[in-house]
Amino acid sequence: MTDVLDIRPLAGALGAELWAAGGGALDVNTLDPAAAAAIREALCAYHVVVIRDQQMDAADVARFGRRFGELERHPYLGGASEEPEVVPVIKEPHETVNFGGGWHSEMSFLECPPMATALYAVEVPRFGGDTLFANQQAAFTGLSDTMKHFAESLEAVHSAARQYGRGGDSDRYAGKRSSMTVDVSDEAQARLTHPVVRTHPETGAKALYVNRAFTEAISGMRRRESKALLEMLWDHAVEEQFTCRVRWEPGTLTMWDNRSVQHYALNDYHGQRRHMLRVTIAGDRPR
């Protein structure tokens, strides 16, 4: 990586800014195969990579994402008319509810959740609107050996019901988040199971894989048992020592590895506009 990239870590737990070797800005619109491979290697190593000073539109964001795999459409969010896989993430000054405002792992309710997400900043508020990330491999490592062995034996139920089902958050907040096209669907009630600890298919590292937004229960446990264990794991997974913070600027492109992180879009910029372009790259079934 050092021959192609200048890597500047953001925090001890995860995250790095990527610049061209020698310190100049990368141009992601003209990446050669060696640079794209180096970015992927950095993504696996640092989990979150931040690339500043880009000039991109929806087509450019889609093209960047396709360098790392097949793009997928969000099942409940409308995409850009010219690039359906690219979702405009917008909060207008009059809106009070943002998108992604809680700790979660991207679309873990899918059988094959996305491998990675890329998010590009078109317009950002004068202050606020940062994104927090938490390293789930470090969170797993931080458990006691007894809890590690126990967690590795478990599966958890994931669902989009709370976020996109009827009566869920999207239904309740429809009038407060009118700048985005969100579909409330009965299909969001579907449930499937994933391991509580997943193994990264490229590095072999183990990571916690439960999140407040989409994980509903531990399979085979009574409700009270499941709730107590999940609350502990949810809290542990996002402790400060496992996190980093990305401050956005216009032209910032950030990509994160959904196989090893959770993220949280802060909603601390009421009265200001924030406009991002988001694309997700298809992944495999957690194992």
Side-chain angles (χ1 to χ4, degrees), residues 34-57:
I39 291 173
R40 189 181 189 109
E41 185 179 350
L43 181 70
C44 290
Y46 292 93
H47 315 287
V48 179
V49 295
V50 181
I51 306 172
R52 306 284 187 185
D53 300 334
Q54 302 303 301
Q55 296 291 328
M56 306 178 78
D57 57 20

Side-chain angles (χ1 to χ4, degrees), residues 67-265:
R67 290 182 177 274
F68 303 94
E70 182 181 351
L71 302 187
E72 59 186 10
R73 296 190 187 185
H74 195 290
Y76 307 113
L77 296 177
S81 57
E82 67 277 23
E83 294 286 347
E85 294 89 356
V86 178
V87 175
V89 178
I90 300 172
K91 184 189 173 198
E92 298 289 0
H94 68 276
E95 296 177 315
T96 58
V97 177
N98 72 333
F99 177 74
W103 284 110
H104 62 288
S105 180
E106 205 83 274
M107 293 190 283
S108 69
F109 54 81
L110 296 178
E111 180 177 2
C112 295
M115 177 272 285
T117 300
L119 189 65
Y120 174 73
V122 178
E123 182 179 353
V124 299
R126 289 176 291 108
F127 57 84
D130 298 349
T131 302
L132 307 180
F133 296 91
N135 183 345
Q136 299 305 281
Q137 292 177 2
F140 174 73
T141 300
L143 293 171
S144 68
D145 288 343
T146 299
M147 183 56 72
K148 287 177 190 173
H149 294 315
F150 182 42
E152 286 183 278
S153 71
L154 302 174
E155 291 190 333
V157 179
H158 294 246
S159 171
R162 285 200 301 266
Q163 299 295 319
Y164 301 108
R166 300 194 188 282
D169 288 349
S170 291
D171 208 358
R172 289 193 296 272
Y173 297 146
K176 298 181 180 180
R177 195 162 62 194
S178 55
S179 58
M180 295 179 63
T181 303
V182 182
D183 294 328
V184 175
S185 172
D186 291 333
E187 294 180 5
Q189 304 296 330
R191 288 165 171 79
L192 55 81
T193 60
H194 291 311
V196 168
V197 178
R198 69 175 298 177
T199 301
H200 197 287
E202 295 183 59
T203 68
K206 295 178 179 179
L208 278 181
Y209 198 63
V210 292
N211 66 94
R212 284 189 182 273
F214 303 123
T215 309
E216 293 193 342
I218 302 293
S219 300
M221 282 190 175
R222 293 174 178 170
R223 184 171 183 176
R224 183 177 177 182
E225 296 169 335
S226 172
K227 184 176 186 299
L229 180 56
L230 281 175
E231 287 287 351
M232 185 279 289
L233 292 175
W234 288 335
D235 288 346
H236 170 79
V238 297
E239 288 181 0
E240 289 85 348
Q241 67 264 31
F242 306 138
T243 66
C244 74
R245 183 179 188 127
V246 171
R247 289 183 168 87
W248 297 93
E249 302 167 356
T252 295
L253 174 67
T254 296
M255 182 163 65
W256 59 90
D257 191 333
N258 288 303
R259 302 164 296 186
S260 59
V261 300
Q262 292 191 49
H263 64 284
Y264 186 151

Side-chain angles (χ1 to χ4, degrees), residues 22-37:
L26 284 171
D27 182 357
V28 300
N29 292 325
T30 60
L31 289 178
D32 59 26

